[in-house]
Amino acid sequence: MARLALLSVSNKTGLIDLARSLVEEFDFDLISSGGTAQALKDAGLPVTKVADYTGSPEILGGRVKTLHPRIHGGILARRDVPEDITDLENNQIRPIDLVVVNLYPFEETIAKPGVTLSEAVEQIDIGGPAMLRASSKNFAHLAVLCDPAQYDEYLEELRQNNGEASLEFRQKAALKGFSHTASYDQAIASYLAETENYTLSGRQLQSLRYGENPHQPAAWYQTGITPTGWTAATKLQGKELSYNNLIDLEAARRIIAEFTDTPAATIIKHTNPCGTALGSTISEAYQKAFNADSVSAFGGIVALNRPIDAATASELTKTFLECVFAPSCDPEAQEILGKKSNVRVLILPDLSSGSKDTVKAIAGGFLVQASDDVIADASQWQVVTERQPTPDELAELLFGWKVCKHVKSNAIVVTSDRTTLGVGAGQMNRVGSVKIALEQAGEKAKSAILASDGFFPFDDSVRTAAAAGITAIVQPGGSLRDQDSIKAANELGLVMVLTGIRHFLH
């Protein structure tokens, strides 16, 4: 008797080619339901509808199609258990040798603007997960495919093993089936639960060489069915990405996403910016960012918000860099960068789309917070000093504030001419961060501005900044001693602006 394959897919990519090979090369009979059966019939392939095979029509508008003993008995029967075989014979059930199922597009549906709850609910697959779980459970006796990317590998298995898929392949496919249903159920649970439960799942893209250190195993996972963010990036050249590369790339993406209207460049080391700048061209922006701290830029991660052109590519090849990314890369620039074959060059067309949540593991659980994606709006700031900022000073303060948001707390950033001059990051006290940023800026601090991610609890940092030549300060405010800092700023002739928003980054 011919072997039996059940095909019921939402994503019909590769379906016809797979089905034709099953019928013509390997003598499979096909049963199928709904649109899948129609697609096979339209392609001229012999197929029996599930309703005809089971003797039970589809009901409830298609909600019940494959939930039938003739289907699940054929999937779950153990070929080495005589009682199971007897049950199949007594109930006129054929054993099913292959199940090809993928699920209703729930995640794609809820991603659409304005989708209603009822529309989302109708895209919750029932029969598909049931078949996937049943066939994955019984991998010892049949194969299950839930991704079109598996089709060619399965057919090659049949060709190389006298028409049979190896146990190793079937077990690997079963794991993929269980992972697929787990991810699907978690997406549904997250959508319906809102804040009561938080679920996180992903599909492993690749094992990484190691994590932060060589003794730490690590892997890269994709969330969701559709590649987004870094999983959708294109690597033009260079070595494989490491764990630390990916962490730094994301830190760079978050900074560069702050700047859309003007060419901008940032260089990241250990998730902190060592240089960030705006320019009239992307080449100018990169050179300003590099010159802000050329020592720290060595081995850095470069993010650009404009296509890489030849002039910028030439500058990029003058120092050792780990990674460079931009929305696109001109052909001439790609040829120039090719001379530095080890540098990783990535294309990320969408610089702005990031995770809506930040998740951190702790002992016994994990923490979830909304991502810090507040858009800075200088029109909402409060000038609290007697001296008012000039339009250029206000624009500089806005630039410094945007960069400071992405520096590890306690964070201080000194800028001038839309370029970072000094960055004080991650110090245990704000005074220490101020001193580091001002020391790095040196003489350039004269007439520059200073941004602080948190308030000043005392006026000492204001006085230190003024002594170095700082003319304007932006900070969130909110300290019980705000008046002390404001008084010092007035006494020293500084501008002080309060944003009312804090940007701690731990």
Side-chain angles (χ1 to χ4, degrees):
M1 181 183 293
R3 286 173 292 177
L4 186 61
L6 169 60
L7 289 71
S8 180
V9 294
S10 175
N11 177 4
K12 294 178 176 55
T13 302
L15 170 70
I16 302 305
D17 289 340
L18 171 67
R20 182 166 284 113
S21 293
L22 292 175
V23 171
E24 296 178 359
E25 283 190 63
F26 302 106
D27 196 31
F28 273 84
D29 288 339
L30 307 181
I31 57 175
S32 189
S33 62
T36 306
Q38 189 61 51
L40 296 172
K41 183 179 179 182
D42 291 345
L45 292 166
V47 59
T48 300
K49 290 185 176 180
V50 166
D52 295 333
Y53 175 73
T54 62
S56 298
E58 294 184 9
I59 61 172
L60 307 181
R63 281 190 166 196
V64 177
K65 294 189 286 284
T66 57
L67 298 171
H68 192 280
R70 291 202 78 191
I71 298 298
H72 285 272
I75 292 174
L76 286 165
R78 294 159 293 186
R79 316 295 168 81
D80 55 355
V81 176
E83 291 83 0
D84 285 9
I85 301 302
T86 299
D87 283 341
L88 294 184
E89 293 171 350
N90 290 341
N91 291 279
Q92 297 181 314
I93 298 173
R94 289 179 63 181
I96 295 174
D97 299 279
L98 172 67
V99 174
V100 183
V101 175
N102 53 59
L103 308 178
Y104 292 170
F106 180 81
E107 289 184 270
E108 291 88 337
T109 298
I110 62 175
K112 295 176 182 177
V115 67
T116 65
L117 176 61
S118 61
E119 289 171 337
V121 166
E122 284 308 309
Q123 291 302 317
I124 297 176
D125 204 327
I126 302 299
M131 288 188 291
L132 270 181
R133 287 179 59 81
S135 50
S136 296
K137 174 178 179 175
N138 205 28
F139 69 85
H141 302 285
L142 75 159
V144 56
L145 308 177
C146 62
D147 184 341
Q150 297 173 290
Y151 296 171
D152 286 343
E153 185 180 0
Y154 173 73
L155 291 173
E156 194 60 30
E157 279 278 318
L158 298 186
R159 293 176 184 128
Q160 293 184 4
N161 296 294
N162 297 318
E164 298 290 338
S166 66
L167 179 61
E168 180 184 10
F169 174 86
R170 299 198 305 271
Q171 184 169 344
K172 183 175 70 172
L175 173 60
K176 190 174 183 69
F178 281 124
S179 298
H180 188 38
T181 57
S183 176
Y184 192 78
D185 286 341
Q186 284 193 321
I188 297 167
S190 295
Y191 176 75
L192 295 177
E194 295 181 349
T195 59
E196 288 79 9
N197 295 286
Y198 189 93
T199 56
L200 182 66
S201 67
R203 178 173 64 85
Q204 184 173 320
L205 289 180
Q206 65 182 79
S207 295
L208 300 173
R209 188 177 174 190
Y210 52 78
E212 287 179 303
N213 299 290
H215 62 275
Q216 295 173 265
W220 182 8
Y221 290 81
Q222 172 186 316
T223 56
I225 296 173
T226 304
T228 60
W230 293 108
T231 63
T234 301
K235 184 159 72 75
L236 298 182
Q237 66 173 57
K239 298 180 291 185
E240 288 297 318
L241 292 169
S242 71
Y243 180 95
N244 289 334
N245 289 157
L246 288 161
I247 296 296
D248 284 336
L249 283 167
E250 177 58 12
R253 186 203 62 78
R254 289 196 297 265
I255 293 182
I256 209 67
E258 295 280 354
F259 306 103
T260 56
D261 299 332
T262 305
T266 190
I267 306 173
I268 294 292
K269 285 293 285 294
H270 305 296
T271 73
N272 283 305
C274 55
T276 302
L278 307 183
S280 58
T281 65
I282 195 63
S283 178
E284 181 190 17
Y286 169 69
Q287 290 178 67
K288 289 170 67 177
F290 177 80
N291 292 331
D293 186 354
S294 58
V295 174
S296 297
F298 183 85
I301 306 286
V302 175
L304 308 169
N305 72 344
R306 295 290 187 274
I308 306 173
D309 55 23
T312 309
S314 295
E315 292 297 323
L316 290 166
T317 60
K318 292 179 180 179
T319 191
F320 168 66
L321 298 169
E322 285 282 351
C323 305
V324 176
F325 74 90
S328 63
C329 183
D330 296 346
E332 186 179 357
Q334 188 172 346
E335 184 177 349
I336 294 169
L337 289 168
K339 297 173 183 177
K340 292 275 191 176
S341 59
N342 283 337
V343 64
R344 304 162 178 88
V345 178
L346 295 99
I347 300 305
L348 184 67
D350 184 1
L351 300 174
S352 62
S353 294
S355 174
K356 295 180 181 179
D357 299 322
T358 301
V359 182
K360 292 195 175 185
I362 61 171
F366 57 90
L367 307 176
V368 181
Q369 66 171 352
S371 294
D372 187 4
D373 55 6
V374 174
I375 298 174
D377 183 359
S379 68
Q380 301 300 311
W381 293 355
Q382 180 185 8
V383 180
V384 292
T385 49
E386 295 168 1
R387 190 165 84 79
Q388 300 292 301
T390 65
D392 187 67
E393 280 181 317
L394 191 60
E396 193 71 48
L397 289 165
L398 180 60
F399 170 77
W401 181 246
K402 287 181 175 182
V403 176
C404 192
K405 171 183 176 182
H406 300 282
V407 176
K408 292 288 186 180
S409 300
N410 287 307
I412 298 292
V413 174
V414 175
T415 81
S416 180
D417 189 30
R418 314 305 186 267
T419 305
T420 56
L421 304 177
V423 178
Q427 298 306 299
M428 287 64 73
N429 64 76
R430 196 159 298 278
V431 176
S433 290
V434 170
K435 290 180 178 178
I436 290 171
L438 292 173
E439 181 180 351
Q440 187 180 16
E443 289 298 312
K444 293 180 181 179
K446 293 179 179 178
S447 301
I449 69 95
L450 181 147
S452 172
D453 69 340
F455 59 64
F456 296 112
F458 304 101
D459 66 1
D460 50 0
S461 291
V462 177
R463 296 185 182 280
T464 301
I470 295 296
T471 62
I473 294 174
V474 58
Q475 55 125 328
S479 170
L480 294 174
R481 294 176 175 268
D482 273 350
Q483 286 304 315
D484 292 350
S485 294
I486 295 169
K487 181 180 177 181
N490 280 326
E491 176 189 327
L492 299 164
L494 273 62
V495 169
M496 182 172 285
V497 176
L498 304 185
T499 67
I501 294 176
R502 188 183 75 183
H503 285 305
F504 279 179
L505 180 60
H506 285 91

